Amino acid sequence: MNFTLNILGTASALPTSDRYSSAHVLDVHGRLFLIDCGEGTQMQMRRMGISFLKVDTICLSHIHGDHIFGIFGLLSTMGMLGRTSVLNVYAPAAFRPVLDFFMKTFGEGMRFEVDMHELSCRVPEVIAGTRTVELLAFPLQHRVETYGFMVREKEPAFNVKKDCIDKYGLTLAEIGTLKRGEDVVRYSEEGGVSEVITVPEAAYKPFVPRSYAYCSDTVPFPELSVWVKGADLLYHEATYPAEMKEMAVRNWHSTTEDAARCALEAGAGKLVIGHYSSRYTDLTRFLDQARAVFPETVLARELDSIEIPLKKAESC
C-alpha cells in the first residue's frame, strides 16, 4: 500500500530556471491527490510519469497565481485526453469565478464534470474520504483566504491471529467481533460469563495509519502544530531563511526556523521545506537552519519522491 509524495514545484512567487511553482502529487494506495497547481504542473507530471487521468482530487490552498496558474492547461489536457470521470476540486470560494471563466471560455466539448467544493472551516474538518483514506482541510494565516490539507489513512480493522482461530475455536461471528476491536465474551448454559477472549490476546492491527500534512503560505500560529500533530510527513513552506524574519512576517510567510518549530511541536516524523524565495540559489543555509531545530528535515527538490513506509504492527 504505497503512500508517496511526488514534488513537482518548490518556488514561491517567481519560478526560476530550475524551480517550478508549487505543486505536489500525493499517491495513496494508487489514488492521486494534486495539491496546488502552479505554472508548469503538467510538464512536471509528464517528467515524473504521473497520469493526468488518474488524478481524481485537486486541492488548491489559495488563489495566488503561483499556486493555480497551471490549472487551465491541466484541465484542457484532461479534456483532450478524453477524460469522462468526475474531477473533484477543493478550493476557497474565490476560485469559483476563475473556474467558471475557464469552463465558459475553454470548456466546450469537455466530457467530464468539475465538481468544485468550496472550503470554509475554522478548525480542521474532514472534507472527503473513502473506505481507507480521508482528506482534511484547515485554515492557514496568509494575505488571502488560505487552507492547508492533511491526507491520512483510516484506522484499519483488526486482523485475527491465525493460531488463535484454532486455539479458541472461533466462530465467524466471533472473528467479526474481534476484527471490530471488541472482546469476545462467551456465556455458560447458566447465563454467566464462561470465557473472555480479549483483542490484545487474539488480534492485532495490521499497520499503523500514515499521514501527510501540507502547510503552504502562512505565518506561524500556535494552533497549527496541534492541527498537524503526529504527521508522518509534514510539508511546511520556508520562503525565507531565519535572518529574514521581519520580511517573512510582512509578507505573511514563514522562515526555516518557523517551519522547523512547527514540526518539532507537532512531533512530526519528517519535515520537508520548500516554497523558496527566488532571491536564493544556494539552499544550504535553509537546510542547516531547519535541522538545527528539527534534525529530520529535508529540502523539497523538483522531481523528488518521498515514500512514507508502511509501519506494520506486531502479530503473534
Side-chain angles (χ1 to χ4, degrees):
M1 297 193 299
N2 61 304
F3 202 125
T4 307
L5 174 66
N6 299 288
I7 299 171
L8 307 182
T10 67
S12 56
L14 299 176
T16 68
S17 60
D18 58 354
R19 292 184 203 145
Y20 282 71
S21 299
S22 293
H24 290 182
V25 170
L26 186 69
D27 182 343
V28 185
H29 307 173
R31 181 180 180 184
L32 302 185
F33 297 82
L34 173 60
I35 306 177
D36 278 340
C37 189
E39 183 180 358
T41 291
Q42 62 176 328
M43 297 302 296
Q44 294 291 77
M45 290 177 69
R46 287 279 194 199
R47 292 186 177 100
M48 296 197 78
I50 298 172
S51 170
F52 301 126
L53 300 184
K54 288 186 178 180
V55 174
D56 66 14
T57 301
I58 297 178
C59 301
L60 301 177
S61 60
H62 60 299
I63 64 162
H64 280 165
D66 55 324
H67 294 258
I68 69 164
F69 279 166
I71 195 76
F72 281 16
L74 180 60
L75 293 179
S76 295
T77 297
M78 288 178 172
M80 287 188 284
L81 291 175
R83 183 187 183 105
T84 57
S85 59
V86 174
L87 178 67
N88 290 290
V89 176
Y90 296 86
F95 181 68
R96 186 172 292 281
V98 178
L99 179 60
D100 289 345
F101 168 79
F102 169 81
M103 296 302 293
K104 181 179 179 180
T105 309
F106 305 107
E108 184 178 357
M110 287 175 53
R111 295 186 292 157
F112 68 97
E113 176 187 354
V114 181
D115 189 2
M116 179 177 161
H117 308 263
E118 295 183 6
L119 299 173
S120 178
C121 60
R122 295 185 178 181
V123 294
E125 183 177 302
V126 176
I127 56 176
T130 66
R131 184 176 59 85
T132 59
V133 177
E134 58 187 5
L135 170 65
L136 296 86
F138 48 87
L140 298 174
Q141 294 187 11
H142 193 44
R143 285 176 294 179
V144 297
E145 184 180 13
T146 305
Y147 294 90
F149 301 98
M150 176 177 279
V151 180
R152 65 188 183 195
E153 293 173 319
K154 293 182 177 179
E155 286 284 345
F158 283 86
N159 282 351
V160 178
K161 299 175 183 179
K162 292 181 179 180
D163 63 343
C164 290
I165 296 176
D166 294 331
K167 177 180 178 181
Y168 294 108
L170 295 172
T171 66
L172 289 177
E174 289 173 335
I175 290 173
T177 298
L178 289 166
K179 287 179 73 68
R180 292 193 301 272
E182 302 169 7
D183 295 341
V184 170
V185 181
R186 290 174 171 173
Y187 296 90
S188 65
E189 292 182 359
E190 292 76 22
V193 175
S194 63
E195 186 177 17
V196 176
I197 305 169
T198 66
V199 171
E201 181 182 4
Y204 63 97
K205 282 292 181 73
F207 63 89
V208 179
R210 296 164 289 181
S211 60
Y212 166 70
Y214 178 85
C215 302
S216 67
D217 302 20
T218 187
V219 291
F221 58 98
E223 295 84 1
L224 184 55
S225 60
V226 178
W227 293 347
V228 299
K229 193 171 185 62
D232 293 285
L233 184 61
L234 170 64
Y235 170 83
H236 195 298
E237 68 115 310
T239 306
Y240 300 104
E243 62 270 20
M244 301 294 287
K245 177 65 175 177
E246 289 186 9
M247 179 173 284
V249 172
R250 189 162 59 248
N251 292 329
W252 293 83
H253 281 297
S254 295
T255 69
T256 52
E257 290 182 352
D258 293 330
R261 277 194 293 269
C262 181
L264 182 66
E265 292 168 4
K270 179 180 287 188
L271 170 66
V272 183
I273 56 172
H275 199 264
Y276 315 115
S277 169
S278 61
R279 71 183 65 204
Y280 301 100
T281 55
D282 183 0
L283 300 176
T284 302
R285 78 172 87 173
F286 281 70
L287 186 60
D288 290 345
Q289 289 175 358
R291 282 184 171 174
V293 178
F294 188 77
E296 291 300 316
T297 300
V298 297
L299 295 172
R301 299 282 195 185
E302 266 70 11
L303 307 184
D304 272 0
S305 293
I306 302 174
E307 175 73 20
I308 305 177
L310 188 66
K311 297 182 292 185
K312 290 189 176 181
E314 293 184 0
S315 62
C316 66

